Amino acid sequence: MPAFTGTDPARFIADFFTSFNEHLLAGDEDAAAVVDRFHTPDIVQVADGHRMDRDKLIAHTRPIRKNRPDSHIDVHEAVADNDRIAARYTLHVRQRGREFAIEVYFFGRFAPDGRMRQAHMLTRTATTGDRPRPDVRP
């Protein structure tokens, strides 16, 4: 039974990515341990045609840890069927006084324990300008 059974798929996907980011940026725990907590060992993510397996995903976390961006996700719509979730969301990122947004079309599969097994994403970066959001201080 999927971990998101009975859970709103939009809430599940927002919580998944928010929690992964929070754990990644909290303390100095080994990035591999954090990745393994949220992803199965056979994870494959394909974003805009670029394939990432577990090792590449761990390497991808290094700049996130170094730059420590502030981010939040607005899920516009999401549907779930068995172990699959499809979602359309916007990832808002604030880093070094700059702000941008990434629109994401996400198609993923999850293990029964809630870890991501597979993801395919199409993204588009949308610049929101250099002004801080009203609710975020520089």
Side-chain angles (χ1 to χ4, degrees):
M1 181 144 274
F4 46 81
T5 299
T7 303
D8 174 41
R11 174 78 335 214
F12 177 86
I13 204 71
D15 289 348
F16 178 88
F17 285 116
T18 299
S19 187
F20 177 57
N21 239 10
E22 287 172 353
H23 280 85
L24 192 60
L25 296 176
D28 58 356
E29 182 179 13
D30 181 48
V34 177
V35 167
D36 290 344
R37 190 174 311 128
F38 287 85
H39 302 84
T40 60
D42 59 344
I43 180 65
V44 174
Q45 288 188 1
V46 180
D48 300 325
H50 300 282
R51 184 182 189 279
M52 283 195 293
D53 59 12
R54 178 184 175 273
D55 291 337
K56 289 180 181 176
L57 183 59
I58 293 166
H60 182 68
T61 65
R62 289 186 189 110
I64 295 169
R65 282 187 146 177
K66 179 183 174 190
N67 296 320
R68 306 189 66 75
D70 176 42
S71 64
H72 73 277
I73 292 177
D74 291 327
V75 179
H76 308 294
E77 56 191 330
V79 295
D81 182 34
N82 198 10
D83 66 344
R84 300 171 190 267
I85 291 182
R88 183 177 62 85
Y89 62 86
T90 302
L91 172 63
H92 300 273
V93 180
R94 182 176 166 80
Q95 178 177 294
R96 297 187 200 129
R98 297 185 58 87
E99 189 175 334
F100 61 94
I102 302 170
E103 297 174 355
V104 181
Y105 291 85
F106 172 90
F107 304 90
R109 291 182 58 219
F110 290 82
D113 63 5
R115 292 184 299 160
M116 185 185 296
R117 171 173 281 143
Q118 184 182 71
H120 292 268
M121 294 170 272
L122 298 172
T123 68
R124 183 181 81 83
T125 302
T127 304
T128 59
D130 295 337
R131 297 183 318 242
R133 287 194 333 258
D135 61 331
V136 177
R137 294 184 210 197

